[in-house]
Amino acid sequence: MSTLAITGGRVVDPANGLDGPADVFIADGRIVAVGPAPPDGFRPEQTLDASGRVVAPGLVDLAARLREPGQEHKATIASECAAAAAGGITTLCMPPDTHPVVDTAAVVELIHQRAEAAGAARVVTLGALTVGLEGTQLAEMAELKRAGCVGVSNALRPVHDTLVLRRALEYAASHDLTVFVHPEDPHLAQEGCVHEGVVATRLGLPGIPASAETVAVAQILMLLEQVPARVHFCRLSAARSVNLLARAQYDGMPVTADVAAHQLHLTEMDIGFFDNNCHLRPPLRTRRDLEGLRAGLVRGTVTAICSDHQPHDSDAKLAPFCETEPGISALETLLPLALRLTGGDEPLDLAAVIARLTCEPARVLGLAAGTLSPGAAADVCIFDPHAHWTVEPDRLVSRGRNTPFTGWELEGQVTHTLVGGRVVFQREDPP
Amino acid sequence: MSARDIQLDDQGRLRHFLTIEGLSREILTEILDYAENFTTVGHQPVKKVPLLRGRTIINLFFEVSTRTRTTFELAAKRLSADVLNINISASSTAKGESLLDMLRNLEAMHCDMFVVRHASPGAAHFIARHVAPHVSVINGGDGSHAHPTQAMLDMFTIRRHKGDFTRLSVAIVGDIMHSRVARSQIHALNILGVPDVRVVGPETLIPVEAPQLGVHVYHDLAEGLDGVDVVIMLRLQRERMSRALLPSEHEYFQCYGLTPEKLARARPDAIVMHPGPINRGVEMDSAVADGPQSVILEQVTNGIAVRMAIMAMTLGRAGGEA
Amino acid sequence: MADSTDVETLLDRMASDLQDHLRRAGIDDPLMVGIHTGGAWVAEALHRRLGLDTPLGTLSITFYRDDFTRIGLHPQVRPSNLPFDLDDRHVVLVDDVLYTGRTVRAALNELFDYGRPASVKLAVLVTRPGRELPICADVSATELALAPGEHVKLTGPDPLQLVIQPG
């Protein structure tokens, strides 16, 4: 029996309402107890001193593209799982838009095998909603669920035909699968690459109006009045979407939503004069939208913060703005960006932020992760909440160096990450 | 990452010319003043000065444009620079990687300046960020973003006719949304102190946050032209009809085409401008295009002197004790 | 340092020297061209004293300087103005100070881009040693031997004064 005690830290486990000094006791990869003293007969073989640190459940990230299979020139499951570990993330959920698409059990199995071999993080995947994400024929969702998919999604690809969308929602519901929707009306979004607003107007860039998102959200909400499906809205970017969602939740609809951490800190203004690292989808919007997203997070309309990690090779960002690939490398900045929502006048406390990074996203995925409950897998994130560090692309563990946060001084740095009681990351130079 | 950082050198002099946005009134005025001197070169028996002798300028055109390329070429040649025209079809540089490779190859030939025309907004900024330190980049038009040399030749033409910018009303008419010319003109007019800049067009062709650029929006042409000193007509691309932005050229001309009757709403001494080439009967009546108030051909002539000034200023920075 | 009366005296001497020189060369209807800025003032004064009928020309030479690559474009350029046809005419090129000769070289180049004069004479107010090109003045009102680093400058236009700036 292998045993470990994490001692002297501040344990924050929102799922159990815990926030205070405590030790965490682990045996055979599972949490045995959390408290001031070890349970009777517990003899730790190893002790990890966490004084001055926060001991939290390992983070659960609702959206990380690992680029494998299909785009190994950008990143691999192994490389990005290592980056996840460095970011305190122990469970990653992959969208199905790999090459090939996750629309067969074989692809799911391949991903699981690669992730197990890497061993640094748990990887779950969404299955395709439609075959090849083409929006025409339903994917074999039951088969995908058997293979381990935790939900279905058409990722960023549109389902043009409303009837197909309705049927897909119905079919997913019959197999008790949550449908993860990226709300974006393809016609309104057109070829846009930034928010349709001041910056698009200034720089002559084709815009994606906020209505591209709200129209898509409204469309799904209207369908849900007829179809008993469970929908999770991915990466909301517009304040109005949050309002629509709040109303629907008030009416009792089974809808949830997440937001990417960068949407809580950046606006279209950060694009400056064509900063390719701010080319995102959905695009960065206005200060008002940013505030609406934060308010949604505080009120609980939006329950999860994810990284929306999209590592790129350098060539993908070496082109005029619209011709670059959207997305940022975000695993390692997820926690400190979320922590910026605490302290000072911020309405969220540390436990509330940790909840939105752990048990809340786990709930969306239907996983028993994101908690330090006795019996749960010992997935743990230990971080120094006061460590300051400056984002330098070359020092990221991820293969993707594409971050708009270069030069930002962030507070909060992971020192240890445990998956199943095993230390998968330990910072070489603890601050 | 401001325009100032990349366009100006550490002594505040023009290094690249990518956008009007962020430049000072002093710099714009300096360009106009220099251009004034270069106009005489075109009248000399030998239409050439040796200022850029031995310099190599590459016209890097990813979009077809005979007119703009020709005026840049002529400007460079009148400064005695060696000019190389490279026309690249969009298909051969689908990837940014090959665009950078191409730049490296051209730089290896020891060129001093790229004049870039590209369909993608920000292309000139992108290239300027990746050229060797001694190379200057001039934006010859990047997508719907900017066409700063065109805007400066328009300012030059306006100044020659109207003198003081700070008392003018200027109306820009047409497809503002997709117009790099309009964007650059709006910045230039605001920086030079024009108190009343108007844009006129249907809502489908006006960018959402246009007032934030410092303009007043009009949907009615007669109202928009009321009492203005300068009327700038924009070119209407035929493809606008296919994306539900306009019903037809016919209706466009009915609403926004400039006729002598509509021009009568402007001040009697108002001048009429157009970046060319004109779609007669779509943007304006021939009676206006060829009429006494039209300065369209002057714009073309002025384009050479203004481009000479910008080329000489960006390449004439070495040293510093001047 | 010379005061304004000195400059007027120098101009008188220069005008009569130039007149003699032109007479000896058999030139009775010269075109006068001054180099911006000081040369143009001197040319204007000479033009008046000689009572020439043809309009006065000015040359900017900014675009012909050989130090463009070293010091860049001069911030205050003014256009050249040659309101006559140069071909087969006798030209008197006028400058304030002849020093290295590079300004005159640039002016000659520019002149020849306007046409092919029959001859060019050079008249200057001041010559100082330090020629770097095989150029000498046909008429020079005075010669100044300055210490290394010292510069002489004509200020004006009213009054015209010669100022010696220490190195």
Side-chain angles (χ1 to χ4, degrees):
Chain A
M1 180 155 152
S2 116
T3 54
L4 169 69
I6 303 170
T7 59
R10 169 183 172 189
V11 173
V12 179
D13 181 17
N16 292 303
L18 280 181
D19 183 357
D23 298 345
V24 177
F25 305 101
I26 296 166
D28 285 340
R30 300 205 164 264
I31 305 286
V32 175
V34 176
D40 287 344
F42 185 91
R43 295 272 177 282
E45 290 165 9
Q46 281 180 294
T47 302
L48 211 163
D49 177 17
S51 37
R53 318 251 169 89
V54 171
V55 181
L59 311 190
V60 178
D61 187 354
L62 284 180
R65 285 179 172 75
L66 310 183
R67 303 305 190 193
E68 191 181 352
Q71 290 184 297
E72 289 83 354
H73 63 288
K74 292 185 186 293
T76 62
I77 289 175
S79 74
E80 300 319 286
C81 283
I89 299 162
T90 53
T91 301
L92 289 165
C93 180
M94 279 175 63
D97 52 356
T98 46
H99 306 284
V101 164
V102 185
D103 58 1
T104 61
V107 181
V108 182
E109 278 152 23
L110 171 87
I111 291 168
H112 288 168
Q113 278 170 14
R114 294 278 160 88
E116 268 158 43
R122 301 178 198 275
V123 175
V124 296
T125 179
L126 299 178
L129 187 69
T130 60
V131 174
L133 302 177
E134 283 173 4
T136 46
Q137 191 187 337
L138 299 187
E140 292 179 341
M141 297 185 213
E143 171 79 3
L144 290 168
K145 187 180 181 185
R146 262 195 299 279
C149 287
V150 293
V152 287
S153 172
N154 224 51
L156 290 160
R157 304 276 296 279
V159 179
H160 285 275
D161 186 327
T162 331
L163 182 61
V164 173
L165 182 59
R166 175 194 167 170
R167 300 274 193 252
L169 290 169
E170 286 172 334
Y171 192 78
S174 10
H175 293 284
D176 195 28
L177 281 162
T178 303
V179 181
F180 288 69
V181 173
H182 287 262
E184 185 187 84
D185 182 288
H187 307 292
L188 287 170
Q190 243 188 41
E191 306 289 302
C193 59
V194 293
H195 171 64
E196 185 181 288
V198 179
V199 173
T201 296
R202 252 183 61 224
L203 299 182
L205 292 166
I208 302 174
S211 62
E213 184 171 298
T214 52
V215 164
V217 169
Q219 183 188 50
I220 294 278
L221 293 178
M222 292 303 110
L223 285 172
L224 289 183
E225 291 188 350
Q226 260 186 290
V227 180
R230 202 165 58 232
V231 166
H232 176 79
F233 289 106
C234 306
R235 318 312 93 78
L236 291 188
S237 67
R240 291 280 298 135
S241 307
V242 178
N243 297 345
L244 286 171
L245 202 63
R247 170 61 62 89
Q249 287 170 343
Y250 179 80
D251 290 344
M253 280 192 188
V255 285
T256 52
D258 69 66
V259 61
H262 50 258
Q263 290 281 3
L264 301 168
H265 297 289
L266 301 175
T267 68
E268 56 173 343
M269 294 304 175
D270 291 289
I271 292 166
F273 280 89
F274 307 101
D275 181 354
N276 289 344
N277 281 320
C278 287
H279 180 194
L280 301 173
R281 187 169 160 207
L284 295 171
R285 298 197 189 271
T286 65
R287 167 68 36 186
R288 182 179 295 183
D289 288 303
L290 178 150
E291 281 162 7
L293 293 171
R294 286 186 176 200
L297 208 54
V298 172
R299 284 199 307 265
T301 312
V302 178
T303 56
I305 306 170
C306 68
S307 73
D308 197 17
H309 178 65
Q310 298 180 43
H312 283 297
D313 54 313
S314 61
D315 285 347
K317 289 287 185 186
L318 281 177
F321 192 90
C322 295
E323 296 171 24
T324 59
E325 295 179 51
I328 76 175
S329 176
L331 292 172
E332 291 153 84
T333 48
L334 172 62
L335 176 66
L337 287 177
L339 291 176
R340 278 170 86 98
L341 303 171
T342 68
D345 299 333
E346 299 292 345
L348 290 176
D349 63 13
L350 180 63
V353 166
I354 297 295
R356 283 151 181 79
L357 293 167
T358 58
C359 55
E360 293 292 355
R363 196 196 316 271
V364 170
L365 295 172
L367 297 176
T371 167
L372 300 175
S373 304
D379 296 353
V380 184
C381 165
I382 304 173
F383 64 92
D384 180 340
H386 303 301
H388 288 262
W389 62 288
T390 303
V391 181
E392 294 169 61
D394 289 344
R395 300 189 64 181
L396 293 177
V397 176
S398 168
R399 287 254 190 95
R401 301 292 151 85
N402 46 302
T403 172
F405 296 104
T406 298
W408 280 46
E409 198 187 70
L410 299 178
E411 192 176 2
Q413 192 168 39
V414 174
T415 59
H416 298 81
T417 305
L418 282 71
V419 171
R422 198 163 43 85
V423 176
V424 294
F425 173 78
Q426 181 167 1
R427 190 158 298 282
E428 295 295 329
D429 48 346
Chain B
M1 192 180 300
S2 73
R4 186 162 292 270
D5 292 344
I6 180 165
Q7 291 200 101
L8 304 182
D9 67 9
D10 49 12
Q11 293 176 53
R13 297 175 302 187
L14 264 193
R15 177 186 166 194
H16 303 296
F17 194 56
L18 310 174
T19 174
I20 304 280
E21 189 184 0
L23 295 178
S24 65
R25 187 184 294 197
E26 288 67 39
I27 285 211
L28 298 194
T29 307
E30 202 181 337
I31 293 171
L32 298 178
D33 290 346
Y34 276 128
E36 202 67 59
N37 297 298
F38 283 112
T39 53
T40 57
V41 177
H43 303 138
Q44 289 174 208
V46 177
K47 296 181 183 54
K48 213 176 181 58
V49 292
L51 208 53
L52 297 186
R53 204 161 57 93
R55 304 296 192 96
T56 305
I57 295 176
I58 296 186
N59 280 332
L60 202 52
F61 275 57
F62 296 86
E63 239 184 18
V64 188
S65 159
T66 313
R67 291 159 43 95
T68 302
R69 204 211 61 216
T70 307
T71 50
F72 270 112
E73 185 176 347
L74 210 49
K77 286 181 169 167
R78 287 195 177 163
L79 292 167
S80 305
D82 295 312
V83 189
L84 198 62
N85 291 312
I86 301 186
N87 298 312
I88 307 115
S89 68
S91 58
S92 67
T93 56
K95 285 203 71 182
E97 182 189 0
S98 52
L99 172 56
L100 274 193
D101 279 348
M102 177 188 302
L103 280 183
R104 298 274 170 274
N105 274 301
L106 293 171
E107 272 177 7
M109 299 175 195
H110 302 292
C111 70
D112 300 286
M113 171 179 278
F114 289 116
V115 176
V116 182
R117 156 77 59 110
H118 198 286
S120 198
H125 274 84
F126 171 73
I127 288 171
R129 284 191 181 111
H130 289 95
V131 291
H134 71 278
V135 176
S136 291
V137 176
I138 291 184
N139 186 358
D142 60 335
S144 302
H145 172 229
H147 196 349
T149 61
Q150 173 74 41
M152 287 314 293
L153 76 88
D154 295 332
M155 297 309 112
F156 185 81
T157 309
I158 292 173
R159 191 172 80 165
R160 282 208 146 183
H161 284 271
K162 300 292 171 193
D164 185 5
F165 284 104
T166 64
R167 295 159 177 278
L168 296 181
S169 276
V170 179
I172 307 173
V173 182
D175 183 3
I176 313 294
M177 173 89 88
H178 302 92
S179 175
R180 52 187 167 214
V181 174
R183 279 186 178 77
S184 289
Q185 286 167 338
I186 290 168
H187 285 301
L189 291 166
N190 276 295
I191 293 167
L192 289 168
V194 173
D196 181 23
V197 184
R198 311 177 185 182
V199 295
V200 187
E203 190 61 25
T204 49
L205 298 180
I206 305 282
V208 279
E209 299 281 358
Q212 298 258 11
L213 295 177
V215 297
H216 302 103
V217 178
Y218 291 78
H219 297 310
D220 180 80
L221 181 60
E223 216 180 295
L225 294 187
D226 195 46
V228 299
D229 303 277
V230 178
V231 184
I232 301 174
M233 303 302 293
L234 298 174
R235 183 174 161 76
L236 186 76
Q237 306 287 340
R238 290 243 148 75
E239 73 214 42
R240 302 298 168 231
M241 258 50 77
S242 63
R243 307 199 93 171
L245 291 160
L246 289 173
S248 68
E249 287 183 357
H250 171 76
E251 177 150 320
Y252 181 82
F253 182 71
Q254 292 299 312
C255 299
Y256 299 103
L258 190 62
T259 58
E261 298 73 45
K262 285 176 180 158
L263 182 56
R265 288 290 292 268
R267 287 175 57 93
D269 62 347
I271 53 170
V272 175
M273 301 168 68
H274 190 294
I278 310 170
N279 292 314
R280 287 166 190 264
V282 180
E283 295 123 27
M284 64 171 78
D285 208 290
S286 285
V288 176
D290 306 328
Q293 286 168 273
S294 165
V295 296
I296 295 168
L297 287 177
E298 255 179 70
Q299 287 174 269
V300 179
T301 310
N302 293 341
I304 298 167
V306 168
R307 288 177 175 120
M308 286 171 80
I310 292 163
M311 286 175 163
M313 282 171 73
T314 46
L315 284 183
R317 292 172 302 111
E321 68 267 42
Chain C
M1 179 147 181
D3 65 24
S4 50
T5 49
D6 289 337
V7 173
E8 291 302 317
T9 316
L10 289 176
L11 286 169
D12 291 339
R13 184 190 308 163
M14 198 176 166
S16 90
D17 288 357
L18 179 59
Q19 220 151 15
D20 290 347
H21 187 85
L22 293 173
R23 191 180 313 114
R24 280 198 302 279
I27 298 168
D28 53 7
D29 186 20
L31 296 175
M32 188 165 284
V33 176
I35 300 173
H36 268 309
T37 310
W41 295 330
V42 176
E44 202 186 330
L46 292 177
H47 193 266
R48 204 167 42 236
R49 282 170 168 76
L50 267 56
L52 299 178
D53 295 329
T54 48
L56 179 65
T58 51
L59 276 185
S60 127
I61 72 136
T62 317
F63 304 143
Y64 291 79
R65 290 166 62 132
D66 62 1
D67 54 4
F68 172 66
T69 53
R70 299 218 322 263
I71 66 171
L73 208 51
H74 195 274
Q76 261 127 31
V77 293
R78 291 157 73 179
S80 295
N81 178 30
L82 295 179
F84 37 63
D85 186 357
L86 286 179
D87 283 343
D88 302 321
R89 298 291 298 271
H90 297 280
V91 173
V92 178
L93 186 62
V94 181
D95 204 359
D96 48 0
V97 180
L98 175 61
Y99 177 30
T100 62
R102 289 179 191 270
T103 302
V104 175
R105 196 279 314 169
L108 286 171
N109 279 22
E110 181 164 3
L111 268 187
F112 278 75
D113 280 350
Y114 280 88
R116 186 182 181 282
S119 74
V120 181
K121 304 288 181 193
L122 178 62
V124 299
L125 189 65
V126 180
T127 51
R128 58 170 293 195
R131 220 74 69 242
E132 291 167 3
L133 296 172
I135 284 171
C136 73
D138 297 288
V139 171
S140 165
T142 185
E143 189 152 341
L144 284 176
L146 298 172
E150 276 188 336
H151 284 281
V152 58
K153 199 176 172 231
L154 183 68
T155 64
D158 192 25
L160 288 175
Q161 279 183 305
L162 277 172
V163 179
I164 293 171
Q165 295 163 327

